[in-house]
Amino acid sequence: MRAFLSILPLAAPILLTACGDPAPTYIDQAWVRLSPNKDRPSAGYFVAHGGDAGTQLRGVMTDYALKVEMHESISEGGVMKMKPIDSVDIPAKGKVSFAPGGKHLMIWGINDTAISRGKMTFTFLLANGDRLLVDAAIQKPGAAEPAMAAGEGHE
């Protein structure tokens, strides 16, 4: 028994590392492309990274616009169409890209304060109850994608 007790302090750090907090789901590379026509919706993009446990993205909100919806571009009979989506699975340790030509946010009525600041904050609502606050850079119509989004995350 003494031998066991004498090695317990040496084993404790190893045992405690196994009890660490699980890796969280997070969102990055968020940006918005403003519509050239103020009466038409703008588009939002980002990458959702799954943590140790899978979850679902159930919605996105912001105080800087009138309305936000998740949409997906799909090809039906050779014609590209957009359809609203209610939720998106975020697999454990996987990632889901919201990128031009695929899943994206439709954002109506972005206010002038956000536009002049060049960014807006979104709240991402997850099925596990988490709410993630993420700032998104605002790109003027015709501007290139931000460098952070241009290479990585498009799947």
Side-chain angles (χ1 to χ4, degrees):
M1 183 66 152
R2 276 191 182 163
F4 174 75
L5 291 177
S6 66
I7 64 167
L8 188 57
L10 298 173
I14 295 167
L15 295 173
L16 290 176
T17 58
C19 298
D21 290 332
T25 297
Y26 68 96
I27 307 288
D28 67 2
Q29 302 179 42
W31 63 286
V32 171
R33 178 175 287 144
L34 286 179
S35 172
N37 180 344
K38 249 188 141 162
D39 296 329
R40 308 262 313 151
S42 296
Y45 310 105
F46 58 90
V47 178
H49 300 266
D52 285 342
T55 189
Q56 279 188 330
L57 176 59
R58 295 275 176 92
V60 181
M61 303 182 320
T62 185
D63 290 336
Y64 295 97
L66 297 175
K67 181 169 119 177
V68 179
E69 291 181 358
M70 295 187 297
H71 281 236
E72 183 170 30
S73 297
I74 56 169
S75 178
E76 285 184 0
V79 177
M80 289 300 288
K81 295 182 178 184
M82 280 190 293
K83 69 173 189 167
I85 49 179
D86 294 326
S87 64
V88 175
D89 290 333
I90 304 173
K93 300 185 183 193
K95 69 180 177 178
V96 177
S97 295
F98 275 57
K103 292 177 183 62
H104 58 277
L105 300 177
M106 297 294 291
I107 309 159
W108 285 267
I110 297 175
N111 73 31
D112 291 334
T113 301
I115 294 169
S116 65
R117 286 179 50 213
K119 69 177 182 175
M120 60 191 294
T121 303
F122 288 104
T123 302
F124 292 83
L125 308 171
L126 303 180
N128 63 8
D130 288 350
R131 291 174 174 245
L132 307 177
L133 296 177
V134 177
D135 283 338
I138 296 176
Q139 298 292 93
K140 303 268 183 193
E145 291 181 33
M148 64 182 180
E152 184 172 329
H154 297 288
E155 297 176 340

